[in-house]
Amino acid sequence: MSFGHKHILGIEQLSADDITLILDTAESFKEISTREIKKVPTLRGKTIINIFFEASTRTRTSFEIAGKRLSADTVNISASTSAVVKGETLEDTAKNLEAMHPDIIVMRHGHSGAAHYLAERCGFSVVNAGDGAHEHPSQALLDLMTIRQKKGSIAGLTVAIVGDIAHSRVARSNIYALKKMGATVRLAGPRTLLPTEIGRLGAEVYTDMNAALDGVDVVMMLRIQQERQGNALLPSNREYSRFYGLNPDNLKRAKSDALVMHPGPMNRGVEISSAVADGAQNVILDQVENGVAVRMALLYLVSGGEQLAEQSA
Amino acid sequence: MKILIKGGRLIDPSNGIDDQLDLLIENGSVVAVGTDLDSADAQVLDATNRLVVPGLIDIHVHLREPGYEYKEDIQSGVRAAVAGGFTSVACMPNTDPVNDNKTVTSYICQRATEAGLANVFPIGAITKGLKGESLSEMGQLREAGCVAVTDDGRPVDDGEIMRRAMEYASSFDLPVISHAEDLSIVDGGVMNDGFVATELGLKGIPWVAEDAMVARDVMLAEFTGARLHVAHVSTRGAVEIIRAAQKRGVAITAEVTPHHFILTEEAVRGYNTNAKMNPPLRCADDVAAVREGLADGTIGVIATDHAPHHRDEKNVEFNIALNGIVGLETALPLTLRLVDEGVLSLSAAIARLTCGPAQALGLSRGALTVGDIADVTIIDPDCNWTLRADELLSKSKNTPFDGWSFKGAATCTLVNGKTVYSRDNT
Amino acid sequence: MAARETIILDQPAISRALTRIAHEILERNKGTKDVALVGVVRGGDHLARNLQQRIQEIEGVELPLGTVDITMYRDDLASRGSLPVGKTELLFPMENKRIVLVDDVLFTGRTIRAAMDALIDIGRPQSIQLAILVDRGHRELPIRPDYIGRNVPTSVAEKIEVQFSEEHEPIEVRVAKP
């Protein structure tokens, strides 16, 4: 089976077969991280630029390690050290990047559609590391990989995603990914954090978190941005935590072997209690570990994405 | 100097005329309308298989001069206007400096006279600097040539200011044009609030932001008795509020842009910044509603909201791209689509581009009565052509219709009895 | 496109060749001490298991068996695109092992180069030997097999294919002329 994508802009463009190939490839790559010499020459001579217009430690580090384990030359540009503070346009940034002949650009950007913008205008491969409130495909893929490892398969599971759906690229990518792989998706949050007509993506929408948790196989908590509280969207952390925070009590509504996931970084005591965050059901560190493998798979697959894979000799 | 436009189908909605009639022009005025007119000493324009209509009027354009001449200036704007069949345009005050005083108005009028081609009717600001705080000198604006007032581009947030603006403007018989949106509800939205916005992860502008402000301004118009014109109506709710008020006898007119009756929010997919407008492109039901409004006369005006922007202002991330598109050169064929699709009769479509806008702003144009100024547009309704954005005469090329196939085009545009545009010669 | 196919090794011939290779491995290494078999995915892994069984029948010793997938070590990513990555499974320590690398067809030598790189990245064997069912020539790298089932002179355009049964047992070797 071949992978026909030059870019990874979102889960929306991927098929279930694409997702399975990515996860299978990631499983193969996972072994490399357990070796004494954690490096294979697969992407030797390739240049990967990680350009992050928004602060991110986890995703940027994960992509950087992924590139390095595949022997690519990886360079990081963060917003604070880039020309962006001087007011350079994304178009000029793109042209400058292109002049350096990178093979892959991994980009995080605050505006939805920024990855599309780059992909339309440049010759290199673009891997979207999060664009505004649009998509964060590698996060959804590592979540799927973790679920598949723990549950055997994804089809037939019920997954509750709880929190700030409206502003979450993680939620959008996961809704697409889980639906494509045959899971049932429930979304829960106050109306102010549920975007218009989100149900049309094929998810069940709840404002009552307890109802949303009933009998689910996976609980995916979203990070609540601190700037959201105390304005028109949310009265306070205290109120949010009371109605939409995950704690040992409401977690009992889920299946007894339900997984607890969080894309990080966590606000302990707000969307997730410490008892749950440190509890036996959480797979949060598995998510982080799988993140490197998934990103290795993405970098590898887009590198050959332009050519249709021929039969192996 | 006599011109005889011969052999065409003359449509003059305000006079109830739609017939094979010749039109004779002398010294810039209409001197005769009739069959088999003959004038030996006249220049004859053969209008066989053409429509002969009153010069089209666009009461919502941004000519950008003074201040933003890199986007458009009066010269380039009127050149685009006459190529699109428009003989008159009314230009919005959000220039730099803002057209909130007679000096700027006079400057615009003078530049328009230098440019020639089309008639330019300036529209003044409601408040000084479009800041929504204190009233502009509307009396002097009127004297200098302004035909209406608006803070277009931004609403007058403060209800008391809007109330007083309507009262004051009506003292000088100036219509007030409302750019209706409740900015606190818009809250930074960049496209219509709906499923597409949710999918694209873009912040939505809900219909209620427009409806709420249209309702306020309609009520204020009813309360003050001022003449209100609602700009670029885009929602079903706004159409219904206006329709109900008109039935009560409130003096309200309304306009819709071609893009709001042709396109939906789906056009934004792919983060197309040429589909970024204010008000935003709405959903299919809203498009149906504004078409119903056009058909039953609730909306008597088609206006383009011609909003030229430089490439650099559109070739950016969707969130930070500027709102609006150029419209002068695409409005006529897009309006004729409504005729093809059975929404409007040909006569009603012409009315929305001629006498409708003239009545809304009280302009003495939009008809071909004997004695009227001879602003005439000759249209080939069957001309098939393809729009190439880079061939637009406007300085800016921001259009979502690049590559579209169109039917119908102005072949000849006459202003004050002079041919200012001829398609065959360009 | 009608390709002319010829069977160059049938099942009994393959079986005889593998038995001989099993004996040669034992002879060369003076028994089974420190010997491990590593098959190249895919094809070589099936043959390696086959050799493991034959050696067990001869000596009564089960040699450590592993697989190596060379996809991550290929030098033709640009021209071939991203091939699916298979599993590398080496569950025994490589140190001081005499590794017998097993593959079905030896052609340019690039696959074996990649397989050796992969092995050396994982550990430091005492030696690496190479067992091949069919050597078709046209080497592009200085690589020479230690154990050969059959030398088959071919033209570059011909295709050599080893057919396996559903139980992964080798059935026949075909050469297809274009």
Side-chain angles (χ1 to χ4, degrees), chain A residues 91 109 111-113 116-117 121 133-134 172 176 195-198 200-201, chain B residues 193-195 198-202 270-271 311-312 315-320:
Chain A
E91 184 184 26
H109 200 286
H111 290 312
S112 300
H116 284 81
Y117 183 101
R121 286 164 177 80
H134 179 226
R172 278 175 186 69
Y176 286 125
T196 310
E197 297 184 55
I198 186 74
R200 277 178 62 189
L201 287 180
Chain B
D193 188 46
F195 184 60
T198 292
E199 277 202 299
L200 294 178
L202 293 172
Y271 300 94
R311 178 187 172 281
D312 290 350
N315 189 23
V316 292
E317 300 91 309
F318 192 88
N319 278 339
I320 59 175

Side-chain angles (χ1 to χ4, degrees), chain A residues 90-156:
Chain A
L90 189 54
E91 184 184 26
D92 285 336
T93 303
K95 284 178 181 164
N96 277 282
L97 289 173
E98 185 141 53
M100 295 178 226
H101 301 289
D103 298 285
I104 303 172
I105 297 288
V106 176
M107 182 169 78
R108 165 161 299 181
H109 200 286
H111 290 312
S112 300
H116 284 81
Y117 183 101
L118 212 59
E120 276 172 8
R121 286 164 177 80
C122 298
F124 45 71
S125 288
V126 176
V127 176
N128 182 5
D131 64 325
H134 179 226
E135 283 228 41
H136 190 353
S138 63
Q139 177 69 43
L141 290 163
L142 71 88
D143 290 341
L144 258 58
M145 184 175 178
T146 308
I147 295 171
R148 199 174 73 161
Q149 278 168 5
K150 302 290 176 183
K151 295 288 180 189
S153 79
I154 294 157

Side-chain angles (χ1 to χ4, degrees), chain B residues 4-300:
Chain B
L4 179 62
I5 302 174
K6 207 171 167 52
R9 174 178 170 190
L10 193 139
I11 302 175
D12 181 7
S14 69
N15 288 312
I17 294 172
D18 179 356
D19 217 338
Q20 292 292 132
L21 290 168
D22 299 342
L23 181 74
L24 184 63
I25 297 164
E26 189 169 359
N27 296 327
S29 296
V30 176
V31 293
V33 176
T35 48
D36 297 324
L37 291 185
D38 203 11
S39 182
D41 53 346
Q43 177 199 346
V44 175
L45 295 178
D46 179 12
T48 311
N49 297 324
R50 301 279 194 269
L51 310 177
V52 178
V53 305
L56 308 185
I57 302 169
D58 186 352
I59 59 170
H60 196 144
V61 304
H62 297 269
L63 293 179
R64 304 297 189 205
E65 187 177 353
Y68 303 102
E69 290 84 353
Y70 66 95
K71 300 176 196 242
E72 190 86 284
D73 57 29
I74 289 170
Q75 172 101 44
S76 65
V78 294
R79 203 183 310 132
V82 296
F86 289 97
T87 55
S88 296
V89 296
C91 60
M92 289 295 160
N94 58 341
T95 47
D96 184 18
V98 169
N99 184 15
D100 60 3
N101 63 78
K102 62 178 181 179
T103 312
V104 177
T105 307
S106 303
Y107 174 79
I108 291 168
C109 292
Q110 180 204 326
R111 296 288 292 155
T113 306
E114 287 166 19
L117 302 181
N119 308 301
V120 174
F121 297 104
I123 295 172
I126 293 173
T127 62
K128 292 198 183 87
L130 306 176
K131 289 198 174 99
E133 292 163 2
S134 57
L135 299 184
S136 62
E137 297 160 335
M138 294 182 196
Q140 294 187 53
L141 286 171
R142 168 101 218 181
E143 279 181 343
C146 284
V147 295
V149 288
T150 183
D151 275 5
D152 185 65
R154 63 180 73 180
V156 178
D157 252 351
D158 188 312
E160 169 67 1
I161 301 273
M162 192 58 161
R163 169 198 168 189
R164 297 301 179 191
M166 286 190 191
E167 289 175 348
Y168 192 77
S170 61
S171 320
F172 298 93
D173 202 25
L174 279 170
V176 174
I177 301 174
S178 165
H179 169 109
E181 57 174 341
D182 182 328
L183 284 179
S184 65
I185 299 177
V186 170
D187 190 31
V190 295
M191 70 170 292
N192 186 46
D193 188 46
F195 184 60
V196 178
T198 292
E199 277 202 299
L200 294 178
L202 293 172
K203 185 159 169 52
I205 302 172
W207 51 261
V208 67
E210 179 167 334
D211 294 13
M213 199 56 118
V214 168
R216 185 201 72 173
D217 286 350
V218 163
M219 298 244 166
L220 285 173
E222 190 166 10
F223 174 75
T224 60
R227 254 169 62 211
L228 177 69
H229 176 74
V230 183
H232 41 54
V233 169
S234 74
T235 65
R236 175 172 287 281
V239 175
E240 286 172 359
I241 291 164
I242 293 163
R243 182 182 289 130
Q246 286 171 340
K247 280 198 181 132
R248 293 199 300 277
V250 186
I252 303 171
T253 53
E255 77 193 25
V256 62
T257 71
H259 45 274
H260 285 112
F261 65 65
I262 292 287
L263 299 174
T264 67
E265 59 192 338
E266 293 290 330
V268 176
R269 287 192 187 282
Y271 300 94
N272 179 8
T273 56
N274 280 329
K276 187 178 179 186
M277 331 278 187
N278 187 16
L281 298 173
R282 303 286 187 182
C283 68
D285 181 60
D286 292 309
V287 171
V290 296
R291 288 176 169 216
E292 290 159 20
L294 275 171
D296 71 9
T298 304
I299 301 174

Side-chain angles (χ1 to χ4, degrees), chain C residues 85-103:
Chain C
V85 180
K87 279 263 189 276
T88 293
E89 273 184 312
L90 292 163
L91 301 173
F92 51 88
M94 300 269 288
E95 275 60 31
N96 300 318
K97 283 283 188 300
R98 302 154 183 258
I99 300 291
V100 179
L101 196 57
V102 183
D103 203 0

